[in-house]
Amino acid sequence: MVTAIIGLQWGDEGKGKVVDFLASNFQAVVRYQGGHNAGHTVYYNGQKFIFHLLPSGVFCNQSTCIISGGVVVNPLKLLEELEQLAAIDLKIENFYLSEDAPLILPFHQQLDIVFEESRYSKIGTTRRGIGPAYEDLYGRRAIFIRDLKDEKQFRSKVEILLGYYNQIFKSFAARQMKLEEFIDDYLSAGSKLNEYIADTRKVIANLLERGKRILMEGAQGFLLDITFGTYPFVTSSHPGVAGIFTATGINHKELTRVIGISKAYTTRVGEGPFPTELSDDFGKRLRDLGAEYGSTTGRPRRVGWLDLVALKYAVRINGVDEIFITKLDVLDQLEEIPLAIGYQLKRERFSDFSPAVEFLEQVKPVYKKFKGWQKSLKNVRKVNDLPVEALKYLNFIAEFLETKIRYVSVGTEREETIVID
Ligand code: IMP
């Protein structure tokens, strides 16, 4: 009944395209964690759209789109996205926003920036206030979407929380913030969003009772998971399957299929270890071939070879049933393509991944090299039409991960995809 789409790397695996490609087989698409740190790119009628909050299924008319209570929401940003769609005359008919979604308020963003610029932490965050908003949730002082419904109560809750943040800002010699700077904008956004606010657990349960198929759209990637990722260089939520259960109200028996997404190589934005990183001119070439610039922040992404050790870890913990390889066409011109199949540290060889930063910063990848196909894959639609070198590369990945590769993307458009039966 429920299928999950999980990014298996450090985010930016191409989830926007994948969800858009698969959405027509589902009656609902649910964003279950993260916030507008995500940037899911979808090409629709030749036009590029980047969704930060809305589920990437919005272009499938029959899909219900849901933002669950696990997502931290900046209502102003959500409205901007809805307006972007209204500008092309697309009103999503069935859109639900969880009343339980914690709000991102302007002081969360200021704190995110203050921390990034302090000596305490330099994570390379998207500076959108994601971490501080989740901190408030776990600190049991969060303010939720549902609070926007009662103006008086909302003002009073925000005023108290702002007092707390201004104390922190004082100790960092950062700017004091005032309620008047933003409160009216939030209330006005709240009333515009009112028609969408719902108990999404009930909406989801009701869809399942009626036998509808639901797609859970993860944001970021599993190696950025707060528990399983390369802590502290992680995001503040659970991009893996665990995040679905803490956010949507479905139970583990209802999740019947997990599709893991991986690029044909690896990228990472922000700080943190990256064993297969290419820091040389070749890395720059690969970055340009793959247009690897952040869709949310525009930052150049760090690029490197595919790391099967890390991927195997993500596949196992998320119980991945099938793999969707994206951007295989980016490797079209390369003469040789290495795949990391182990790590070496001093004299010791490791075949298992550990997210410990100290370990990953020291290991050297052990590569198996593959001959490149040096042909354009853009027009390939059938697996049998793939060059033999590309097939060897894909087959090795599937065997190493002991998981079937079901889909291969060879371009940005929805139809530039190979389905392997
Ligand atoms: P935050 O999520 O803004 O707190 O950033 C924490 C880390 O996650 C940083 O390394 C970000 O670059 C990374 N990150 C957050 N969202 C995304 C994403 O959607 N794609 C890739 N990296 C992300």
Side-chain angles (χ1 to χ4, degrees):
M1 283 304 173
V2 181
T3 296
I5 296 289
I6 309 283
L8 299 176
Q9 299 170 299
W10 281 290
D12 308 314
E13 296 89 355
K15 292 176 288 290
K17 157 154 180 176
V18 168
V19 173
D20 175 65
F21 175 78
L22 295 171
S24 58
N25 302 314
F26 295 85
Q27 284 85 43
V29 183
V30 182
R31 254 296 297 272
Y32 61 86
Q33 46 67 239
H36 66 302
N37 47 352
H40 294 178
T41 307
V42 180
Y43 285 82
Y44 177 69
N45 289 341
Q47 209 183 328
K48 182 178 179 180
F49 291 84
I50 300 176
F51 296 114
H52 301 286
L53 277 166
L54 285 172
S56 308
V58 289
F59 291 126
C60 282
N61 303 334
Q62 75 278 30
S63 290
T64 296
C65 286
I66 298 170
I67 294 181
S68 90
V71 177
V72 282
V73 175
N74 177 329
L76 309 185
K77 296 293 167 198
L78 179 56
L79 268 184
E80 268 174 30
E81 279 185 26
L82 289 167
E83 279 159 13
Q84 190 191 355
L85 293 181
I88 56 158
D89 282 333
L90 201 143
K91 177 158 171 25
I92 337 175
E93 294 302 332
N94 300 310
F95 169 52
Y96 298 93
L97 167 63
S98 172
E99 57 192 12
D100 296 328
L103 285 175
I104 298 185
L105 288 140
F107 38 79
H108 292 130
Q109 185 168 15
Q110 178 161 310
L111 188 64
D112 200 353
I113 296 168
V114 165
F115 272 150
E116 278 293 300
E117 287 171 0
S118 74
R119 64 195 165 93
Y120 298 107
S121 81
K122 179 96 187 101
I123 306 295
T125 73
T126 58
R127 300 181 172 217
R128 298 291 191 273
I130 308 296
Y134 278 116
E135 274 178 49
D136 275 358
L137 177 67
Y138 289 99
R140 290 160 296 178
R141 53 181 177 267
I143 300 175
F144 298 90
I145 286 285
R146 60 174 177 267
D147 292 314
L148 285 164
K149 291 184 167 196
D150 182 334
E151 179 175 343
K152 204 165 147 226
Q153 214 188 337
F154 181 66
R155 274 180 189 278
S156 129
K157 283 190 175 179
V158 177
E159 197 162 19
I160 294 168
L161 195 56
L162 179 61
Y164 166 82
Y165 274 89
N166 273 335
Q167 287 293 329
I168 302 174
F169 294 148
K170 204 163 155 192
S171 64
F172 279 93
R175 188 176 77 83
Q176 294 287 292
M177 296 189 86
K178 293 199 176 69
L179 197 65
E180 298 73 49
E181 289 173 30
F182 58 85
I183 195 84
D184 288 343
D185 288 344
Y186 269 69
L187 285 165
S188 148
S191 63
K192 287 183 191 150
L193 290 171
N194 198 33
E195 61 176 306
Y196 306 116
I197 299 174
D199 178 343
T200 55
R201 279 180 303 251
K202 277 192 192 153
V203 176
I204 292 170
N206 187 271
L207 284 163
L208 289 176
E209 262 162 39
R210 289 187 291 128
K212 306 289 181 197
R213 287 191 299 274
I214 300 182
L215 189 64
M216 296 288 175
E217 175 179 2
Q220 292 82 49
F222 185 64
L223 300 178
L224 289 171
D225 185 285
I226 186 92
T227 307
F228 297 106
T230 49
Y231 192 94
F233 304 105
V234 291
T235 192
S236 299
S237 65
H238 296 289
V241 286
I244 297 171
F245 303 114
T246 60
T248 63
I250 72 154
N251 67 52
H252 71 100
K253 287 180 245 164
E254 286 162 332
L255 179 66
T256 47
R257 185 178 173 209
V258 179
I259 303 175
I261 312 178
S262 169
K263 273 181 193 163
Y265 50 99
T266 309
T267 62
R268 169 160 211 170
V269 211
E271 310 293 318
F274 182 173
T276 61
E277 181 168 14
L278 293 161
S279 319
D280 51 8
D281 283 348
F282 192 81
K284 280 192 204 134
R285 181 174 164 217
L286 193 54
R287 175 187 302 141
D288 288 337
L289 285 172
E292 294 296 353
Y293 293 88
S295 40
T296 295
T297 57
R299 289 180 290 177
R301 294 179 185 141
R302 299 158 62 192
V303 297
W305 299 121
L306 190 60
D307 183 341
L308 291 181
V309 186
L311 218 49
K312 195 160 191 168
Y313 167 82
V315 164
R316 205 205 77 73
I317 296 178
N318 289 290
V320 170
D321 299 299
E322 293 165 4
I323 295 187
F324 199 132
I325 295 283
T326 57
K327 294 188 125 177
L328 187 64
D329 56 304
V330 171
L331 307 181
D332 281 354
Q333 297 173 18
L334 307 187
E335 282 171 25
E336 191 177 64
I337 310 167
L339 274 176
I341 54 166
Y343 296 146
Q344 187 86 31
L345 179 56
K346 297 187 182 122
R347 293 240 170 105
E348 209 175 338
R349 170 99 181 243
F350 294 85
S351 53
D352 286 336
F353 185 81
S354 154
V357 169
E358 304 72 27
F359 171 73
L360 290 178
E361 273 170 352
Q362 289 184 63
V363 296
K364 297 267 171 290
V366 177
Y367 287 116
K368 179 172 170 66
K369 291 181 179 157
F370 288 78
K371 195 168 172 287
W373 42 95
Q374 300 193 283
K375 283 187 193 91
S376 169
L377 300 185
K378 199 171 167 57
N379 296 318
V380 178
R381 296 290 173 273
K382 292 194 192 114
V383 67
N384 293 337
D385 294 338
L386 279 169
V388 62
E389 294 85 356
L391 274 174
K392 277 190 184 159
Y393 186 69
L394 293 174
N395 286 340
F396 187 86
I397 296 170
E399 271 167 36
F400 191 97
L401 300 175
E402 298 175 75
T403 310
K404 183 182 168 57
I405 295 177
R406 184 80 204 286
Y407 308 92
V408 180
S409 166
V410 289
T412 51
E413 296 287 334
R414 197 186 278 177
E415 44 294 336
E416 290 171 334
T417 307
I418 303 167
V419 181
I420 308 173
D421 287 321

